[in-house]
Amino acid sequence: MGSQSVKAITNQSQRKNFTKHLLNDIEALDEMIKTDAFEKGIQRVGAEQELCIVDRFFRPSFNALKILDQINDTHFTTELGLFNIEANLDPLKLEGKCFSQLENDLYELIAKAQKAAELVDKNKIILTGILPTFKRSDLVFKNMTPYQRYQTLNDVIKKVKGNDFRLKIRGIDELILDHESILFEACNTSFQVHLQVDLNEVIDKYNWSQAIAGPVLSLMTNSPMLLGKELWSETRIALFQQSVDIRNTSHLLREQKPRVSFGTDWVKSSILELFTDDITRYAALVTSDFDSESLEELQNGIKPELKALNLHNGTLYKWNRLCYGVAKNIAHLRIENRYIPSGPSIKDEIANAAFWIGVMQGMPEEYKNIWEKMAFKDARGNFIKAARTGMDTYFNWFGQGISAKELGINILLPMAEEGLKKSHIEKSDIDYYLGVIRKRIEKNISGSKWHVRSSRKLKEFMSADEANILLTYSLHKYQAEDIPVYQWELAKPFDKGFTHSQNQVYKVMTTEVFVVNQNDLVALIEKIMIWKNIHHLPIVNDSNAIVGIISSTTIAEADTTINDLTARDIMKKQIKTGYPEMPLDDAIMLMEKEKIGCLPILDNHVLVGILTNEDLKNIDNN
């Protein structure tokens, strides 16, 4: 939904007008397909780079608009969140050393963004699928980019869905939370790659892009964590679908498909099927002002923009999306790959692009009419499995069971090499970028694996929040060295270049908090404290809200001869609490003033941590 001038459809008149233009666009596109009115004989590759902005402490920064003003380059634009920006690369002909050129172009754009960010409060640019230092308090409405198109989409989705915004993702850990807007979608940062395709092969190529999506994704995952939880190998897939899912209970009962989807079936007769199926399944949400009619323009020799169709298409988020475009009165078709994550490095991203395009170009002849050879649900199942388990996935590949690594080494990499040769890509580019993919497989390392291994190692020495900060620092450091992830060392707990700042509570608090219910027996509470070697336990009610606290001293002073003594009977009800961004000195002063040994930490009234005297001792020891 790239246009800034969009508005919600709020009345029947707007809906009728938009539908009229939408149907007119479909007729115009149908006529263009029948007359083959598209550019042919040339292929181009393009890309969109989404970037995260962090402050000097590697926490999300909300300076996107200031940084864009400082950059002052039309290649850059806003994103949904004020902690993101996007860089759009110029398309290149698919030939020669185009991937080296793409890398150089991307490097220059990111260097320009880095320079501008440094001038705005010493901010930094990070390439990552999901920023490790996100906190729930960052993802609130005030941090959405204050532009009409974003706020309109948010308002429309909230109106349809009501207040039923919930994330529920199960991986190694589990994340369940309610939220207030679509801003969680902005956690996702991707490297979207476009491949121009001729009309005469677009059906087979689009179907092929669906068939290979799972195996290709499995070798390039880079988003294993959200809010400190280890979830899917590519958590973006689940997060994106849920964060902009407008279905409520009634929609789910009649099985309406989500707007973020893999698709429902192969394309068999015409690419028109993709667009007509979308119009059938999904109501229009937004509209705009229309100055012309597409059919009328076509009759006058003008290739239409298909503004209504593109606008509707822009409110749907398929992982492989067919796009129509027109430039200098020449229309073209392209396939947009939306599942490739941002990062881990520029070289990794270009390798991902070269690998995907190589496999696309190397499609064997026998995989035309793919619906005769592979069930669509196998392709969709492979994609979900890849998102969950990455390089450790086991696929159903045309009836054969095969691991992601074996499929990559023995089938997809040779296919990609042939495809790039067929596209007249220079051997040096083919060898280098496909070599990056090969080394990942051989060394069993992806961006996701690096994140998880580094995070687990860091958490042996420091709090989860401090580990996330050091993890993000290490991302930035290795990206600056411009080397692919298979050459990265794991993040070091005591990196010499990292300034260990512990000036806020969230950096040192304990985040694995044990709680008990107010109706639990004191006898149980006493045992839990012994088993877990802890001296304080927050007490919650049936709504999981904190209502008191019990210390080992409280238990020692309690009259345990009373039968069935519960937490409610002895807990301290007047409790002091802190918040994650609270200055550590303020928290220490509060604890000393109140003569308390622990401080429960709440974020939006939710218990997220506890600061104890033991945590403070650990600071001194470090």
Side-chain angles (χ1 to χ4, degrees):
M1 197 174 64
S3 173
Q4 297 277 1
S5 57
V6 298
K7 50 195 173 186
I9 294 176
T10 58
N11 57 57
Q12 193 60 26
S13 175
Q14 288 176 321
R15 185 167 300 281
K16 285 180 178 178
N17 184 58
F18 183 79
T19 302
K20 182 187 73 171
H21 285 281
L22 191 58
L23 294 175
N24 190 275
D25 285 356
I26 285 291
E27 287 190 49
L29 180 59
D30 188 27
E31 182 62 28
M32 293 176 72
I33 292 170
K34 289 175 180 176
T35 58
D36 194 7
F38 298 93
E39 186 176 30
K40 57 175 67 70
I42 186 171
Q43 285 188 282
R44 296 182 181 85
V45 57
E48 303 168 52
Q49 174 72 70
E50 295 173 350
L51 301 163
C52 285
I53 310 167
V54 297
D55 62 21
R56 71 185 78 178
F57 303 115
F58 297 94
R59 290 269 294 114
S61 168
F62 310 107
N63 285 324
L65 298 183
K66 291 180 182 178
I67 292 171
L68 287 171
D69 285 344
Q70 192 71 236
I71 295 174
N72 192 26
D73 185 330
T74 55
H75 287 91
F76 290 86
T77 187
T78 57
E79 269 292 323
L80 176 61
L82 284 170
F83 40 77
N84 297 135
I85 57 175
E86 179 180 284
N88 293 288
L89 286 84
D90 296 326
L92 300 170
K93 286 185 179 179
L94 184 62
E95 62 183 16
K97 301 195 75 171
C98 66
F99 292 106
S100 292
Q101 184 62 52
L102 194 67
E103 180 182 343
N104 290 336
D105 292 350
L106 182 56
Y107 186 90
E108 290 179 5
L109 288 175
I110 292 178
K112 182 177 284 190
Q114 291 278 18
K115 183 178 179 180
E118 187 68 26
L119 294 173
V120 179
D121 299 333
K122 295 185 178 179
N123 283 182
K124 306 175 191 305
I125 299 297
I126 299 284
L127 298 173
T128 183
I130 297 175
L131 186 66
T133 50
F134 274 130
K135 295 171 62 63
R136 183 172 178 174
S137 55
D138 298 322
L139 304 169
V140 293
F141 183 78
K142 70 176 182 179
N143 293 330
M144 185 182 295
T145 301
Y147 284 175
Q148 179 189 352
R149 57 174 167 151
Y150 304 125
Q151 295 188 353
T152 296
L153 187 59
N154 183 71
D155 293 345
V156 168
I157 290 177
K158 285 199 75 170
K159 183 177 179 180
V160 174
K161 193 171 179 67
N163 294 319
D164 191 21
F165 281 85
R166 168 164 283 205
L167 289 178
K168 188 173 184 179
I169 307 174
R170 288 191 178 95
I172 302 299
D173 298 322
E174 184 177 55
L175 178 66
I176 302 176
L177 57 84
D178 296 318
H179 56 103
E180 65 173 12
S181 74
I182 64 170
L183 197 58
F184 266 85
E185 185 273 320
C187 292
N188 294 317
T189 33
S190 62
F191 182 63
Q192 296 164 17
V193 182
H194 297 248
L195 176 64
Q196 185 175 332
V197 181
D198 281 0
L199 178 65
N200 65 346
E201 60 176 6
V202 70
I203 292 177
D204 287 321
K205 282 293 180 67
Y206 184 79
N207 285 335
W208 182 239
S209 75
Q210 296 282 75
I212 66 173
V216 167
L217 174 64
S218 70
L219 303 179
M220 54 184 67
T221 59
N222 191 41
S223 313
M225 297 163 60
L226 175 62
L227 303 184
K229 304 284 189 181
E230 287 183 31
L231 301 169
W232 291 13
S233 190
E234 192 54 47
T235 302
R236 289 170 48 255
I237 304 305
L239 176 59
F240 197 9
Q241 176 170 322
Q242 293 186 35
S243 58
V244 295
D245 191 350
I246 70 170
R247 298 174 299 168
N248 53 32
T249 304
S250 63
H251 291 137
L252 293 172
L253 288 175
R254 58 188 178 88
E255 296 188 321
Q256 180 175 317
K257 302 299 182 184
R259 285 183 175 254
V260 178
S261 74
F262 184 78
T264 57
D265 203 351
W266 304 115
V267 181
K268 295 179 181 177
S269 300
S270 168
I271 57 167
L272 212 60
E273 295 170 23
L274 288 169
F275 299 106
T276 56
D277 185 67
D278 288 343
I279 293 171
T280 302
R281 292 181 185 278
Y282 305 104
L285 298 179
V286 295
T287 186
S288 185
D289 296 323
F290 299 97
D291 301 323
S292 58
E293 293 281 354
S294 296
L295 272 174
E296 184 179 321
E297 286 187 322
L298 194 59
Q299 290 164 0
N300 292 328
I302 301 171
K303 297 295 190 303
E305 292 184 7
L306 305 184
K307 186 175 180 180
L309 187 60
N310 280 335
L311 186 57
H312 186 54
N313 199 31
T315 64
L316 306 171
Y317 308 95
K318 292 182 179 175
W319 295 109
N320 288 301
R321 184 159 67 181
L322 183 66
C323 300
Y324 165 93
V326 59
K328 298 180 180 178
N329 205 35
I330 300 174
H332 71 271
L333 296 167
R334 64 187 189 276
I335 297 170
E336 178 188 15
N337 181 324
R338 298 174 51 82
Y339 56 77
I340 300 177
S342 178
S345 70
I346 293 174
K347 281 182 165 47
D348 282 301
E349 290 185 332
I350 304 303
N352 290 341
F355 178 56
W356 175 67
I357 289 172
V359 176
M360 286 289 291
Q361 295 293 89
M363 182 188 79
E365 285 290 318
E366 62 262 31
Y367 292 137
K368 291 183 176 181
N369 297 339
I370 201 168
W371 55 87
E372 298 173 353
K373 304 168 182 71
M374 183 187 219
F376 186 80
K377 285 190 174 181
D378 283 344
R380 186 162 61 193
N382 284 341
F383 184 73
I384 296 301
K385 286 190 289 186
R388 288 183 181 274
T389 53
M391 290 176 67
D392 298 324
T393 305
Y394 196 77
F395 292 112
N396 184 345
W397 182 249
F398 293 95
Q400 174 189 0
I402 188 170
S403 72
K405 294 169 189 173
E406 184 182 354
L407 181 57
I409 289 287
N410 296 332
I411 297 177
L412 296 184
L413 276 169
M415 189 184 297
E417 184 175 357
E418 286 303 311
L420 295 177
K421 285 179 180 177
K422 178 177 149 185
S423 302
H424 308 293
I425 303 300
E426 286 201 16
K427 187 175 186 300
S428 58
D429 267 22
I430 296 174
D431 291 347
Y432 180 76
Y433 293 113
L434 294 189
V436 170
I437 305 296
R438 184 178 297 276
K439 285 292 186 183
R440 270 190 224 155
I441 299 171
E442 290 173 349
K443 296 194 171 189
N444 190 31
I445 186 70
S446 62
S448 290
K449 287 180 177 287
W450 181 88
H451 274 81
V452 168
R453 292 169 187 169
S454 293
S455 176
R456 290 178 181 179
K457 181 179 180 180
L458 293 174
K459 287 175 182 176
E460 294 176 6
F461 299 90
M462 60 190 67
S463 72
D465 286 291
E466 195 73 351
N468 291 335
I469 292 170
L470 185 49
L471 187 68
T472 308
Y473 159 82
S474 300
L475 280 172
H476 185 263
K477 181 181 77 169
Y478 286 127
Q479 286 166 10
E481 293 178 9
D482 196 27
I483 53 177
V485 74
Y486 76 82
Q487 295 179 330
W488 292 13
E489 296 180 8
L490 295 183
K492 297 183 179 69
F494 307 106
D495 194 300
K496 293 180 181 179
F498 179 64
T499 302
H500 191 64
S501 171
Q502 295 180 315
N503 60 342
Q504 289 176 299
V505 166
Y506 74 85
K507 298 179 182 180
V508 297
M509 68 185 184
T510 298
T511 54
E512 186 180 23
V513 184
F514 297 99
V515 300
V516 292
N517 187 274
Q518 62 185 355
N519 296 314
D520 282 337
L521 292 174
V522 171
L524 172 63
I525 296 170
E526 185 176 17
K527 291 295 185 184
I528 290 174
M529 286 183 169
I530 294 170
W531 295 335
K532 294 300 179 181
N533 191 28
I534 53 180
H535 303 286
H536 301 86
L537 270 174
I539 312 302
V540 299
N541 60 20
D542 291 340
S543 299
N544 213 33
I546 185 168
V547 292
I549 198 143
I550 288 180
S551 67
S552 52
T553 303
T554 308
I555 291 180
E557 294 174 350
D559 184 358
T560 54
T561 62
I562 301 175
N563 291 329
D564 298 330
L565 194 68
T566 66
R568 183 199 301 267
D569 299 321
I570 67 169
M571 69 185 185
K572 181 180 178 182
K573 298 178 182 177
Q574 301 299 318
I575 55 175
K576 299 294 181 181
T577 63
Y579 55 95
E581 288 77 20
M582 186 178 191
L584 190 58
D585 289 344
D586 290 355
I588 294 171
M589 288 175 59
L590 178 60
M591 291 170 69
E592 289 175 348
K593 178 184 175 183
E594 299 294 331
K595 296 185 169 92
I596 53 178
C598 78
L599 189 68
I601 308 302
L602 306 184
D603 186 0
N604 290 328
H605 309 291
V606 176
L607 181 67
V608 295
I610 189 169
L611 182 67
T612 69
N613 285 329
E614 289 300 312
D615 296 319
L616 300 178
K617 287 178 185 176
N618 289 335
I619 297 175
D620 295 335
N621 291 336
N622 290 336

